[in-house]
Amino acid sequence: MSTGAHFVLRHRWWVIAFWLVVLLAGGTAAGQLQSRLSSDFSLPGQEGSETQAQLARSYGVSADLGYLPVLTAPAGRPIDRADVTAVANRLRTIPGVRVLDYGTTGDPGFLTEGGHSTFLLVYGPQPAGFADPLAPTVDRTVKAAARQQGLTAEVTGYNQLSAGSDAGDDGGLSVLGETLIGALGALLVLAFVFASFLALVPLLIAGVSILATFLVVLGLTTFTDVSFVVQFLIALVGLGIAIDYSLLVVSRWREERARGRSNDEAVITAVTTAGHAVLASGITVAISLVALVVVDVPLIRSMGFGGMVIPVISTLVVLTLLPALLSLVGPRVDRPRIRKEAHVSRAWSAWARGVVRHRWAAAAAATAGLALAIVPVFGLQIGQAGSDSLARSGVAHDTLAALGAGGVGSGVLTPMPLLVRSGADASTVAAAARRVPGIRMAVVAPPGRDGVREVVVVPTRETVDNTSVAVVSSVRNATKDLPGYVGVTGRGAIVLDYQRAVFDDFPYVLGLIALVTFVLLVRTFRSLLLPLKAVLLNLVSVAAVFGMITWFWQDGHGSNAVFGIAATGALTFWLPVLIFAFLFGLSMDYEVFILARMREEYDRTGSTAYAVEHGLGRTGRLVTSAALILFFAFAALASAPGTDIKVLATALGAGILLDATVVRALLVPAMVSLFGKYNWWLPAGIARLLRVEPSPLVPDAVLPAGYEADPHPPTQPTADREPLVPEGRP
């Protein structure tokens, strides 16, 4: 680190010029990136996804039901088949629309009890974004056609219910608007931390990091699909990470300046110490996102590639551009010097002393809080929100309720397209599917462009999460051995595919990530116990966050009050793995920041109590401020369109606050204090293997009251020094 810092200072103008060019190129890339991003949720190699692709080739429509119009006859008479056919034919004039109905098929399953109403299954192409541009046309056409036949018509459907539950689905702030809101919140925190114009420097670093990341991701789109979600992550996660890393380095630079070092000496020391923690943290975040890359799902893998770029670029900018700027203009912009860095924070030092004094009580309280937060996670459902968790009022809700009153279950929202090869007997397949318990009807559709036939299987209950998709497996098992069977698709089939593709192997991926992170942290902390504790606490912290969002979103105890969105009933299948990957890495940031400083203080003094007090005294305010900055970024992300992104933002924001308060400010110092001298032990054999200095097990030092460590310690602590005052000696 010291060599790199000297290199940057010797070539500071070249470094600044390089990043200036990247900044300009990144600004251009940001404008081009959105059109290159993908909204593909396919799962190549999985039956549901492959069948969906075949359906699109044969019929030109999505496997998900787009619209569910309901036609109702005047009171006192049943629905007329010819009237239904006339309305359906009008809908068929809309390009890209495909209709299955009672008039064409004559299947009584389309009718409510008494035959007073009927529903139509209307499919359209997959929308490219959040809003469906075809929805208003379908709505106007079906209502106009129904009036001509003397019928009334309303349109419901899963997408219509979702739109009714989230008014933000068609709008929301742009990526730029959200970034500006996050940046404003960050500026307020930085102004409090630095109380000088130095607060603008981390924002400048964040701006360069974000645009540089956009540039790299634009290059990635030429080789692989990148999800549209990545643009939000780059802007807001990138903003928080770059500022957090800058905050740590700049604060250490100020601290060294306050101790009397020259400006360049302070820069080099800051990069050597705080910069080392930043490097370890950036690598840890990037490693955690490997969990996304190795999952064989294009959507999740693209998020992993895009996400990995964020900490890597932020770390690179912070360790190169930031030292160059501090060397050139740092002292000039550090005005007025209202806040000093010469001494540790009295408030955080007092807090640390209190935690050390009452470490058993502190550990017990933190553990109880985490356990309470974890409890709801045992009811976590994976899939998509159920209809009863979407709109509670409005036309779509009332129309579905009317169908229910007529004996038509919510399964009409999630029909299962089942494809049969050309020449095979589709009616035999339909009959087999119809005999499966929980199936309302199975209708053979007209042939597609290549002769493939579709059998539309409608379940009694909707199939949206892991508690309701068993009927999809039953239909597959009942039909897969029949001649001509191609596959089953639809919402329920895709949920099953994601469960197999993502969650079956994810525990092994999680174990691998935890192991690699543990090894990296052993090198960083020169300890066996501290990395083990860090990894285990991170897993516990992430579990607590999943419990919180289960309670908040799935069960609806906070979503309606805060966002006006009803309980989701389940977490969308791609969200848990994304939340885990980002939270595991981001939470580890604060662990690295705090424990790296504690390790440094212990190497100076040999006292665990001193290391906890002064380590937390130096980093407590920084970690809290960094957490607030990331929280503001995620609060801005929560204004993005789409409930799924709101859930992601809520999970990351809550996780960061939980981790920075209960875990890092309470449980970590309590546990370090409890473990005492065993925190710092690294046997010589393992140290040689990892090419770091060993850390022998020695008694804790007992320091005299009022002792202050050497304010100018060597930048590379020695591992073989004896404690200043061994335990048991006066």
Side-chain angles (χ1 to χ4, degrees):
M1 296 300 295
S2 177
T3 303
H6 280 93
F7 177 85
V8 167
L9 296 191
R10 284 197 304 269
H11 303 89
R12 65 194 77 183
W13 285 111
W14 285 106
V15 171
I16 292 172
F18 170 79
W19 286 114
L20 180 60
V21 171
V22 171
L23 178 68
L24 297 175
T28 303
Q32 300 175 355
L33 182 61
Q34 188 168 9
S35 62
R36 304 273 293 272
L37 297 175
S38 169
S39 57
D40 181 20
F41 285 76
S42 64
L43 285 167
Q46 297 291 331
E47 180 182 312
S49 184
E50 295 295 334
T51 306
Q52 180 171 293
Q54 179 63 56
L55 181 70
R57 291 192 296 269
S58 301
Y59 290 94
V61 295
S62 167
D64 288 336
L65 182 69
Y67 323 92
L68 188 71
V70 178
L71 307 180
T72 304
R77 73 175 177 88
I79 203 83
D80 184 80
R81 185 172 172 180
D83 292 339
V84 177
T85 301
V87 175
N89 286 338
R90 283 286 298 279
L91 284 171
R92 292 186 180 100
T93 64
I94 303 174
V97 165
R98 180 168 162 270
V99 185
L100 287 175
D101 63 285
Y102 169 62
T104 304
T105 65
D107 193 310
F110 281 100
L111 299 175
T112 58
E113 294 174 356
H116 187 62
S117 297
T118 185
F119 59 87
L120 289 73
L121 302 176
V122 181
Y123 291 89
Q126 181 68 40
F130 293 110
D132 180 3
L134 208 57
T137 303
V138 171
D139 190 74
R140 287 193 304 267
T141 301
V142 72
K143 289 180 178 178
R147 280 195 301 269
Q148 291 181 355
Q149 305 305 130
L151 307 174
T152 59
E154 296 295 350
V155 180
T156 186
Y158 192 91
N159 295 333
Q160 290 72 20
L161 291 165
S162 297
S165 72
D166 185 4
D169 276 353
D170 296 330
L173 293 171
S174 66
V175 175
L176 177 61
E178 294 167 9
T179 306
L180 291 176
I181 291 177
L184 178 60
L187 180 60
L188 294 175
V189 177
L190 291 170
F192 169 77
V193 172
F194 294 125
S196 77
F197 289 105
L198 196 61
L200 299 172
V201 173
L203 282 178
L204 175 61
I205 297 298
V208 175
S209 299
I210 291 170
L211 292 178
T213 305
F214 276 127
L215 180 62
V216 174
V217 172
L218 181 65
L220 283 177
T221 60
T222 62
F223 303 102
T224 182
D225 288 339
V226 177
S227 171
F228 69 94
V229 178
V230 170
Q231 62 182 324
F232 298 102
L233 299 177
I234 292 172
L236 294 161
V237 177
L239 175 74
I241 287 180
I243 291 178
D244 282 3
Y245 291 175
S246 300
L247 182 63
L248 191 68
V249 173
V250 173
S251 296
R252 187 56 184 262
W253 169 79
R254 285 185 109 198
E255 179 185 334
E256 298 302 325
R257 290 263 301 164
R259 287 175 169 176
R261 296 187 187 269
S262 69
N263 189 49
D264 281 1
E265 287 176 339
V267 170
I268 292 170
T269 303
V271 173
T272 303
T273 53
H276 182 72
V278 166
L279 179 62
S281 178
I283 294 174
T284 303
V285 176
I287 287 174
S288 70
L289 293 170
V290 172
L292 302 182
V293 174
V294 300
V295 172
D296 191 21
V297 176
L299 167 74
I300 295 176
R301 185 185 295 121
S302 75
M303 292 183 187
F305 281 125
M308 286 176 66
V309 175
I310 296 171
V312 171
I313 295 295
S314 296
T315 300
L316 188 60
V317 176
V318 167
L319 295 182
T320 56
L321 180 59
L322 181 56
L325 291 177
L326 290 177
S327 175
L328 284 173
V329 299
R332 297 192 188 105
V333 297
D334 191 14
R335 299 177 186 279
R337 296 183 182 177
I338 299 174
R339 189 181 297 279
K340 308 298 183 183
E341 301 286 350
H343 303 286
V344 298
S345 166
R346 292 182 179 178
W348 279 103
S349 294
W351 172 267
R353 284 194 299 272
V355 171
V356 171
R357 187 177 303 114
H358 306 288
R359 48 189 174 269
W360 284 106
T367 302
L370 290 173
L372 185 64
I374 289 173
V375 169
V377 81
F378 296 103
L380 176 66
Q381 304 296 334
I382 304 297
Q384 292 180 296
S387 60
D388 55 352
S389 300
L390 297 175
R392 296 181 177 179
S393 60
V395 173
H397 170 272
D398 295 343
T399 303
L400 183 63
L403 281 178
V408 179
S410 62
V412 292
L413 297 172
T414 58
M416 311 171 210
L418 190 160
L419 294 189
V420 181
R421 293 186 185 90
S422 176
D425 186 1
S427 60
T428 301
V429 176
R434 202 177 293 121
R435 289 192 293 269
V436 173
I439 295 300
R440 175 181 177 84
M441 57 190 285
V443 182
V444 179
R449 287 192 287 262
D450 52 4
V452 169
R453 299 293 293 269
E454 178 191 9
V455 177
V456 179
V457 183
V458 180
T460 303
R461 292 177 57 239
E462 61 199 293
T463 54
V464 291
D465 58 42
N466 53 303
T467 65
S468 60
V469 293
V471 68
V472 180
S473 298
S474 298
V475 169
R476 279 179 172 169
N477 293 333
T479 59
K480 66 182 181 181
D481 295 328
L482 297 176
Y485 175 86
V486 175
V488 177
T489 186
R491 288 187 184 270
I494 297 300
V495 170
L496 283 173
D497 289 349
Y498 265 89
Q499 286 180 351
R500 280 195 298 269
V502 178
F503 297 104
D504 283 358
D505 296 330
F506 190 69
Y508 303 106
V509 177
L510 188 152
L512 177 62
I513 299 304
L515 177 62
V516 174
T517 302
F518 171 77
V519 173
L520 173 67
L521 294 182
V522 169
R523 293 194 83 255
T524 301
F525 299 144
R526 294 171 42 244
S527 164
L528 290 178
L529 188 57
L530 289 180
L532 179 62
K533 175 191 64 63
V535 171
L536 292 179
L537 282 187
N538 251 32
L539 294 176
V540 170
S541 178
V542 171
V545 171
F546 277 114
M548 292 165 66
I549 59 174
T550 299
W551 181 86
F552 186 96
W553 282 104
Q554 179 181 300
D555 300 337
H557 294 298
S559 59
N560 191 53
V562 177
F563 295 100
I565 300 174
T568 62
L571 288 188
T572 302
F573 32 73
W574 54 268
L575 275 174
V577 63
L578 186 65
I579 291 171
F580 167 81
F582 271 97
L583 262 188
F584 188 84
L586 292 175
S587 298
M588 194 64 78
D589 275 358
Y590 305 135
E591 184 88 8
V592 172
F593 293 170
I594 294 173
L595 291 183
R597 191 58 187 260
M598 287 184 182
R599 174 84 233 197
E600 184 181 338
E601 299 296 340
Y602 176 81
D603 285 336
R604 295 180 186 182
T605 64
S607 168
T608 299
Y610 184 94
V612 171
E613 178 184 339
H614 284 252
L616 195 59
R618 282 294 185 186
T619 59
R621 178 161 53 90
L622 299 181
V623 166
T624 305
S625 301
L628 282 175
I629 289 169
L630 267 178
F631 177 79
F632 282 127
F634 294 137
L637 179 61
S639 66
T643 300
D644 288 340
I645 296 182
K646 297 181 190 298
V647 175
L648 173 64
T650 306
L652 296 181
I656 290 301
L657 287 185
L658 175 72
D659 199 77
T661 53
V662 176
V663 178
R664 309 306 171 196
L666 188 61
L667 190 54
V668 167
M671 293 184 71
V672 172
S673 179
L674 285 170
F675 294 151
K677 63 182 180 180
Y678 298 101
N679 287 293
W680 324 106
W681 177 53
L682 181 64
I686 297 177
R688 281 195 303 272
L689 183 65
L690 297 177
R691 304 185 62 154
V692 294
E693 289 288 335
S695 182
L697 193 63
V698 296
D700 243 356
V702 179
L703 303 179
Y707 174 84
E708 287 292 335
D710 177 12
H712 302 292
T715 56
Q716 296 295 331
T718 57
D720 56 353
R721 59 101 186 97
E722 292 295 325
L724 295 180
V725 184
E727 192 173 25
R729 287 171 54 183

